[in-house]
Amino acid sequence: MIRSGISFWKHCSAFGKRVIVIAFILAFIASSAMVKLAYIQLLDGKTTAEAATASRTTKQVLQAERGTITDTNGIVLAQSVERYTIIGNPKFAATFKPTTCTKKTASNCHSIDGKPVGVTGPAAVARLLAPVLGMDALQLGALLTGTNQYVVIKKNVVPSVKRSIDALNLSGIISAELSSERTYPNGTLMGSLLGGVDTDDNGVSGIEKMENASLTGTDGYQIYQQGANGQQIPGTETESKAAVNGATVKLSTDRDVQWYVEKALKEGQEKYKAKWAIAVVQRVSDAKILALAGTDQVEAGSAEAKMNPSLAVTETFEPGSVGKIISLAGMLQEGTHKITDEFSVPYSIDVDGQQYHDSESHGTKQWTLAGILQNSSNVGMVMAGDQYTTAQRYEYLTKFGIGQPSGMGLSGESQGLLSSSENWDRRTRNTVLFGQGYATNALQITNAVATIANKGVKQQQSIIDSVTSADGTVTKPKTSSTQVVSSTVSSEVLNAMESVAENYKSVAAVDGYRVAAKTGTAEVAGSNGGLTSIVADWVGVLPADNPQFVVTVVMKDPQGTYGGLTAGPVFANIGEFLMQKYEVPTSTPRKDAIPVDW
């Protein structure tokens, strides 16, 4: 057999030999291909199929929506609205050939005003897409030219435009990624207080930052196979997890009250030429904040709102004579004096080599302890503090919340400054009796007076009413309360405060309602470092006979100086609005006034 083959080969022509060699080579290639095919089908088929499937499989992130912030009535203050980022695939755009519209292709064809597109590739895509996005076709065509597979064409596209893009039949070449835009429908209302978010939708200031954990949702995903042009292949979804949107945060603030307070502050600032003004409205029954405002009006969500916390949260000041409320309550609670105790009060007094005097010159006055508060006598407070120890003075300041964190968690909030009594010098131990030598913020002094209005019970302040998760679970802030002074003491202090307010009926009355209040005026450091600036404040309780609200107004460098003559009228303006809005019954006549002189 072999010999015959050799003989055959010897007698073959050169052409025949070449044919035989080629035949053998082709047979070898064919047999090798058959072996490889058999291996793939019989031994490696599963692996190859899995690799092919993997190359087509993609994971799409389903973006969660940031939660909404509302006021106490459900009115939206901050929300995320549906937006899209339009993405182009230049690699696929390069091979795009428009499909002419006929009866058969009507559902998946391309035309411009009923006419053929006229070009192919990126230029064709640009001609179709540019009018929908309001972009220049030449610039868009340039964006879509190249070999990469991802280019951002336009951000923050509204849903209606996205739907128009879907109708262009450019799937795989043009896609849309769901995103969101944070909007604040009320402009400057609560601007700095609401704060803002960064480009990743994380809260960076204000309530957006304070409640970021609640407002931030959890992204979901969808796993599916895609075709050659990047389009999803129907029925190939293998796994998905729905996005969970952020919770709805309901504030205790009332938009209408906030709006009116901001308006009243701005008018007061202009009238008295003040550098700034801030105000707090707090409900007595539960320590909820109904308004927290300043004259630093900026757009919510703006760069300025993100950089600068609200003045109402950050500003600290000596409360001045408002601090006498705390000293009086402490003295009565410790039993060092009674509210009716009688004093002969001179204009000035010398104690331990330190001289103290009242704001206005006067002869010796015959005042009760209630009268000392009514007339805001610094000398009288020093005299009444004869048995009130340094340790007790510090104890009651801290019990009423001075120099302590409010617990509200507001971004940028200062806790003020109260040094330990061990560090007080001979002068400071007495100046703290009349609101000097320490610093507070508007929230702290408001809650201190609210404690008096609430029968001596100090409650945890809050600006959050509730947090409702995506599944409907409602969470309320934790509450706490502490009895700081007895209800009898708080009643007596409130009575004395009502006598204070009666001194200002001509400028700070609220018609039909009794008011309990205290004014304050403190010298503070000016731009040159000296005591050249003034902080004037007024804290009032409405109505005095049935406490519903505490309103604090603080002004920096007002023309008119004294808190009763500047912050007082602004308080009255706000108070009238509150009484009308909440339809508070008018007050009964006052018949239990504690004597203020003797």
Side-chain angles (χ1 to χ4, degrees):
M1 185 76 175
I2 295 174
R3 287 180 180 178
S4 62
I6 294 172
S7 178
F8 174 76
W9 176 259
K10 288 180 178 180
H11 290 87
C12 276
S13 65
F15 174 76
K17 289 179 180 180
R18 286 197 295 272
V19 170
I20 293 171
V21 170
I22 291 172
F24 271 110
I25 292 172
L26 291 175
F28 176 77
I29 292 172
S31 61
S32 297
M34 290 296 292
V35 170
K36 183 64 175 178
L37 180 62
Y39 172 77
I40 292 174
Q41 290 182 335
L42 299 177
L43 301 177
D44 198 38
K46 182 179 180 181
T47 302
T48 303
E50 288 176 350
T53 300
S55 68
R56 296 193 302 268
T57 300
T58 187
K59 183 177 182 180
Q60 179 185 15
V61 174
L62 303 177
Q63 188 178 37
E65 190 174 282
R66 187 171 177 83
T68 300
I69 302 174
T70 75
D71 83 337
T72 190
N73 300 308
I75 297 173
V76 173
L77 302 174
Q79 65 180 344
S80 292
V81 293
E82 182 183 350
R83 292 291 184 266
Y84 292 89
T85 299
I86 305 304
I87 306 299
N89 187 322
K91 183 177 180 180
F92 291 158
T95 59
F96 174 67
K97 294 181 179 180
T99 300
T100 302
C101 292
T102 65
K103 289 184 178 180
K104 290 183 178 181
T105 63
S107 62
N108 189 29
C109 65
H110 309 92
S111 65
I112 299 175
D113 296 329
K115 298 178 181 178
V117 178
V119 291
T120 62
V125 177
R127 284 190 183 184
L128 290 164
L129 186 59
V132 179
L133 290 177
M135 296 177 66
D136 180 77
L138 291 177
Q139 292 179 348
L140 184 52
L143 276 176
L144 290 168
T145 300
T147 58
N148 58 324
Q149 298 186 57
Y150 187 97
V151 61
V152 175
I153 295 174
K154 194 169 187 178
K155 294 182 177 181
N156 293 326
V157 171
V158 298
S160 60
V161 172
K162 187 263 183 185
R163 289 192 292 271
S164 296
I165 293 173
D166 291 341
L168 294 176
N169 299 317
L170 295 172
S171 176
I173 301 173
I174 302 299
S175 59
E177 293 180 354
L178 180 64
S179 63
S180 63
E181 181 182 6
R182 198 67 169 167
T183 64
Y184 303 87
N186 298 284
T188 61
L189 189 77
M190 296 178 65
S192 295
L193 190 60
L194 288 170
V197 299
D198 60 16
T199 54
D200 294 323
D201 231 16
N202 293 314
V204 293
S205 64
I207 291 169
E208 291 277 25
K209 180 179 180 180
M210 183 177 81
E211 291 296 313
N212 189 59
S214 297
L215 291 165
T216 302
T218 303
D219 290 343
Y221 61 85
Q222 183 182 28
I223 298 175
Y224 59 86
Q225 294 181 41
Q226 58 184 355
N229 290 330
Q231 75 276 18
Q232 181 176 349
I233 300 174
T236 61
E237 183 179 305
T238 58
E239 186 180 349
S240 66
K241 182 179 180 181
V244 179
N245 293 332
T248 295
V249 174
K250 180 191 285 189
L251 305 183
S252 60
T253 53
D254 185 308
R255 186 187 67 169
D256 293 343
V257 176
Q258 181 77 23
W259 174 83
Y260 193 87
V261 170
E262 289 187 9
K263 174 177 174 289
L265 285 179
K266 204 66 180 175
E267 292 172 350
Q269 180 189 27
E270 293 172 359
K271 181 177 181 179
Y272 299 107
K273 311 300 181 185
K275 184 176 180 181
W276 50 253
I278 56 181
V280 182
V281 178
Q282 179 171 321
R283 191 161 52 214
V284 172
S285 62
D286 57 7
K288 293 292 187 182
I289 304 300
L290 301 185
L292 181 59
T295 48
D296 54 330
Q297 296 182 0
V298 300
E299 290 279 344
S302 67
E304 190 174 356
K306 296 174 189 177
M307 294 293 292
N308 301 299
S310 171
L311 279 176
V313 173
T314 61
E315 283 295 336
T316 59
F317 50 89
E318 288 189 347
S321 292
V322 173
K324 292 170 182 172
I325 295 172
I326 297 173
S327 300
L328 178 58
M331 292 175 190
L332 295 176
Q333 185 66 29
E334 291 299 319
T336 61
H337 279 292
K338 295 179 181 179
I339 193 74
T340 54
D341 283 357
E342 299 170 349
F343 297 83
S344 295
V345 185
Y347 164 67
S348 65
I349 191 174
D350 189 286
V351 177
D352 293 333
Q354 300 293 314
Q355 190 176 64
Y356 307 92
H357 60 80
D358 289 340
S359 60
E360 295 183 2
S361 179
H362 62 78
T364 300
K365 297 291 184 179
Q366 312 292 70
W367 289 328
T368 64
L369 192 52
I372 288 174
L373 187 73
Q374 182 195 43
N375 292 280
S376 200
S377 173
N378 297 339
V379 172
M381 292 303 297
V382 174
M383 294 173 66
D386 57 347
Q387 301 297 317
Y388 191 48
T389 68
T390 300
Q392 289 170 338
R393 298 173 194 197
Y394 179 80
E395 176 188 358
Y396 280 92
L397 285 169
T398 56
K399 279 186 174 181
F400 275 96
I402 303 302
Q404 313 299 309
S406 72
M408 293 177 63
L410 288 166
S411 177
E413 181 184 355
S414 170
Q415 67 181 53
L417 179 64
L418 176 65
S419 62
S420 170
S421 58
E422 297 175 354
N423 297 322
W424 292 351
D425 57 26
R426 288 180 298 169
R427 186 166 189 82
T428 302
R429 73 175 298 274
N430 284 320
T431 61
V432 296
L433 293 171
F434 46 85
Q436 295 179 19
Y438 62 87
T440 182
N441 64 27
L443 286 166
Q444 288 176 356
I445 203 67
T446 299
N447 209 28
V449 174
T451 299
I452 297 297
N454 194 41
K455 299 180 180 180
V457 178
K458 180 176 178 285
Q459 299 185 92
Q460 173 59 56
Q461 289 172 301
S462 178
I463 200 170
I464 305 298
D465 182 81
S466 65
V467 176
T468 304
S469 64
D471 64 4
T473 302
V474 179
T475 304
K476 294 278 189 178
K478 293 181 179 179
T479 59
S480 62
S481 60
T482 306
Q483 189 82 44
V484 177
V485 295
S486 70
S487 60
T488 300
V489 167
S490 64
S491 177
E492 291 175 344
V493 175
L494 200 63
N495 190 306
M497 290 173 62
E498 190 169 355
S499 295
V500 173
E502 287 181 347
N503 275 353
Y504 294 91
K505 274 189 174 181
S506 62
V507 293
V510 178
D511 290 343
Y513 298 90
R514 288 161 52 183
V515 175
K518 188 69 191 79
T519 70
T521 308
E523 293 180 325
V524 296
S527 57
N528 62 358
L531 297 179
T532 56
S533 278
I534 292 292
V535 167
D537 53 353
W538 172 293
V539 186
V541 179
L542 272 168
D545 55 325
N546 180 28
Q548 301 291 310
F549 308 101
V550 173
V551 180
T552 298
V553 177
V554 186
M555 306 184 83
K556 177 73 175 293
D557 291 330
Q559 289 183 3
T561 305
Y562 296 110
L565 302 178
T566 56
V570 178
F571 158 85
N573 187 3
I574 294 170
E576 289 176 358
F577 175 81
L578 292 172
M579 297 301 98
Q580 294 173 13
K581 175 177 174 58
Y582 293 105
E583 299 179 348
V584 178
T586 54
S587 294
T588 57
R590 188 184 188 196
K591 299 179 180 180
D592 61 347
I594 296 172
V596 294
D597 48 30
W598 54 281

